[in-house]
Amino acid sequence: AAAIAAVRGAAAVPELVEFMKNATGQTDQEAVKSALMSVSGNKEIALLKPVLKDGSSIARKTAIELMAWNKGNEYFREVLPFASSPEEPVRTAAVKALSSLAGPADQNDLINLLTSVQDKAYIADLQTALASAATAVEDKSSRSDVILRAFKNSTAKERLIPVLATTGGKDALDLVLNEFELGNPDMRDICFKTLTSWGDYTASSALYEIVASRNKTFEDQAFRGYIRQVRTAPITDEQKLLLYKKILPFALSADRKNEIITQLGRLKTYQALFLAGTFLDDPETSSAAASAAMVIALPSAESSTGMYGNIVREILTKTAQKLTGPESEYNKEMVVKYLASMPSDEGFKSMFNGKDLTGWQGLVENPIVRSKMRRVDLERRQEEANLMVPANWSVRDGCIWFNGNGSNLCSVQEYGDFEMLVDWKITKDGDSGIYLRGTPQVQIWDTSRTDVGAQVGSGGLYNNQIHPSKPLKVADNPVGEWNTFRIVMVGEKVSVWLNGELVVDNVTMENYWDRKIPIFPKGAIELQAHGTDLAFRDIYVREISDKEFNLTAEEKTEGFVSLFNGRNLDNWVGNTQSYVVEDGMIVIKPENGSGGNLYTAREFSDFVFRFEFMLTPAANNGLGIRTPLEGDAAYVGMELQILDNDADVYAKLQPYQYHGSVYGVIPARRGFLNPLGQWNYQEVYVRGTHIKITLNGTVILDGDIAGPRDNGTMDGNDHPGLKNTTGLIGFLGHGSVVKFRNIRVKDLSL
């Protein structure tokens, strides 16, 4: 058979089918099946139909197996009758084949067969076939519909329920839960196994309820099933952490606590680290907590940076003492080494100690009114407001609770630029928010309140009128469940992540109290009181200094600092009239002449300088390095060209005058600028006499100025600045509009 197939290919199929039809031995059947599989497609498989009608029992079995291998739904009707064949080999082959052949339209036939089959050995295969047919329905929300309709009048409901674990859906889950609650012991067992094998994590809520009910029969398995479903769920780390926190009160044994702690080690979030750190002092959980903390905080294989801050340092210092196991000494060494290299920044600090309202106070008017009050009057009003707080705000179970009456709760400390982490929970019809710098607000509300537009979701900058006020997506958890915000505010710009999903992307927050002026540079963080019960917990804040504006985590670890804070020209000198700050950028707007130069306030010798720039047509600028404040930077220092290379006006320049060149000294490669109107990313590496420039990921210059310095330059001019070992860095205006942003430097001389 193999030889015939090899020589004649598909043309041999009729002969092979005839041979199969008459062959009586298993060896011959296997040989012809293998040969047919090597040359057959849909057209050839159709030639097997006569075998089902006239072939021997063993030939029918082979034909059915080949149809299953082909997976053609058109053969389902051909094979289905043989699932009731009196011949056991044929019947078994047919039952097993149905899962490969069934489509959505075949569900009722499979349900009838499943509920009536006498041989229990076939039940699992028929359930698999039914699940396969149902999951072929394109609309995921409808995949259980046929089964649910059949369930109502079925006399074998216990056979249908396990299939729902694969087809899923809210209605299916509700049905399984109802049967679990009301069914007999056998049905409860079937329903419970279905819940623990549910195809997605939506059944975790049902498993949680079983755990919370303290059902001794199912509690332990439900707990482990819950953890397993959350672990494998395709959701954000932030969402997983909320679900682990939810089940944590029922982790009454050390084994359960350690199971949760182990899962925390899979989540690369600060909140997961802080939670793991709370278990370091318990001898029964300290080892698992130390392992989890190490994995969370230290750089992963995909990243060169880890977490930092005083709380992180405290946790890792304790972690190094608690690590156990065969690799503990190696792990301790890694932790100690990382601690030695960790940035010294304060990082996140807790705004809420979980016990009382230390660090919080009552609300007195709004920032504008407060700014006009006499100090003595403000202090008196603050004392009065503080006396009102306990009637409305309280602490219990590690949470700040609001009872629906009274005014906002305000941080005592004021914040400028910051990153905030906070969990929150509202009740039905809830409405709240978080004020930033005393200004409303990052919105929180019950998304079912369509009458007020809440269907857009929480997280938006509700009071904006000019800039976007609505979130990018709905990412809320159901009312009564915890949610978590990550809020980053730098200058006027705010970004918000809700449950790990970006819902506000660097949007200007308007000043609600006076829309004619920008939002205040500093102010309190306020938890809004808006007439409904709500709660907050796990509140952390990290103040962002000018030195880390827009730095990546990797850059912070590597020692970069920001030279531009996105708001003003602090720490810059020179022409601060033509160079202006707009929307987080430095923009040169020359009116007459060149527009002048803008320099860093301090000098640099060896460094890595990174920045982004956007050119306008025929734009000409430059990056001065190791230059003094006075004189032509191209000569008394060095000028690295910033130029629209493709402009016609520059068609006849010398090679050393194009973008990236050390002007007059070393030419750069051309052809790597992005189109006009797009941002370019450039890195300048300077150490000693070595200069390397990388533009949009490509090295366009890698040279040494020692030769030109000592032997003469390409342009034949005197460049005394080549001898400089230190100087300012600056943008050199040549009469063109150019935009700059994300300006940072790493000092290599430190």
Side-chain angles (χ1 to χ4, degrees), residues 354-522:
K355 302 174 183 177
D356 55 44
L357 294 177
T358 299
W360 297 88
Q361 62 185 3
L363 173 66
V364 177
E365 298 294 345
N366 64 62
I368 292 179
V369 173
R370 288 198 298 270
S371 68
K372 297 177 180 178
M373 295 174 67
R374 294 186 307 162
R375 181 174 180 178
V376 63
D377 293 333
L378 178 58
E379 290 177 349
R380 176 180 55 79
R381 291 285 302 278
Q382 188 63 66
E383 290 178 1
E384 294 172 354
N386 290 346
L387 291 175
M388 299 296 294
V389 168
N392 310 306
W393 295 88
S394 60
V395 175
R396 67 176 188 273
D397 301 326
C399 304
I400 296 176
W401 292 87
F402 176 63
N403 64 11
N405 300 302
S407 299
N408 293 3
L409 187 67
C410 312
S411 65
V412 173
Q413 181 174 338
E414 294 191 341
Y415 297 92
D417 296 342
F418 62 88
E419 178 178 1
M420 181 185 187
L421 308 173
V422 57
D423 290 356
W424 55 269
K425 179 170 66 172
I426 56 174
T427 53
K428 181 173 172 52
D429 296 328
D431 190 337
S432 182
I434 296 178
Y435 284 36
L436 310 182
R437 300 186 195 152
T439 303
Q441 80 215 39
V442 176
Q443 180 68 10
I444 295 172
W445 51 7
D446 177 357
T447 57
S448 69
R449 297 180 61 204
T450 56
D451 57 319
V452 293
Q455 68 273 11
V456 300
S458 297
L461 304 184
Y462 179 78
N463 289 288
N464 273 3
Q465 293 182 354
I466 299 173
H467 300 90
S469 63
K470 297 177 182 178
L472 298 173
K473 62 172 70 173
V474 179
D476 301 61
N477 287 329
V479 167
E481 299 288 344
W482 284 97
N483 296 266
T484 188
F485 272 149
R486 175 188 172 213
I487 301 170
V488 176
M489 185 174 198
V490 177
E492 300 175 85
K493 299 293 186 178
V494 175
S495 295
V496 181
W497 288 259
L498 173 55
N499 299 325
E501 303 279 356
L502 181 65
V503 294
V504 173
D505 189 4
N506 202 38
V507 173
T508 296
M509 187 175 192
E510 299 165 21
N511 192 331
Y512 173 81
W513 305 113
D514 185 348
R515 296 188 182 277
K516 297 188 298 294
I517 63 174
I519 196 168
F520 313 112
K522 294 189 74 173

Side-chain angles (χ1 to χ4, degrees), residues 458-587:
S458 297
L461 304 184
Y462 179 78
N463 289 288
N464 273 3
Q465 293 182 354
I466 299 173
H467 300 90
S469 63
K470 297 177 182 178
L472 298 173
K473 62 172 70 173
V474 179
D476 301 61
N477 287 329
V479 167
E481 299 288 344
W482 284 97
N483 296 266
T484 188
F485 272 149
R486 175 188 172 213
I487 301 170
V488 176
M489 185 174 198
V490 177
E492 300 175 85
K493 299 293 186 178
V494 175
S495 295
V496 181
W497 288 259
L498 173 55
N499 299 325
E501 303 279 356
L502 181 65
V503 294
V504 173
D505 189 4
N506 202 38
V507 173
T508 296
M509 187 175 192
E510 299 165 21
N511 192 331
Y512 173 81
W513 305 113
D514 185 348
R515 296 188 182 277
K516 297 188 298 294
I517 63 174
I519 196 168
F520 313 112
K522 294 189 74 173
I525 292 173
E526 300 179 23
L527 308 181
Q528 186 189 25
H530 209 287
T532 56
D533 297 353
L534 69 150
F536 299 90
R537 70 180 184 191
D538 297 339
I539 310 173
Y540 296 90
V541 67
R542 178 180 69 87
E543 295 186 80
I544 300 174
S545 69
D546 287 352
K547 289 184 177 181
E548 58 177 302
F549 176 76
N550 273 10
L551 292 182
T552 66
E554 290 82 0
E555 287 173 332
K556 292 175 189 175
T557 300
E558 292 169 8
F560 281 86
V561 296
S562 177
L563 291 175
F564 172 51
N565 62 20
R567 299 188 305 276
N568 54 50
L569 293 177
D570 287 356
N571 301 313
W572 292 83
V573 296
N575 187 346
T576 55
Q577 286 74 46
S578 294
Y579 288 84
V580 298
V581 176
E582 289 185 354
D583 202 23
M585 304 176 292
I586 294 177
V587 183

Side-chain angles (χ1 to χ4, degrees), residues 270 307-314 342-348:
Y270 277 94
M307 297 180 180
Y308 65 93
N310 292 345
I311 299 178
V312 177
R313 185 176 297 278
E314 179 182 340
M342 184 190 296
S344 59
D345 301 44
E346 183 180 21
F348 282 104

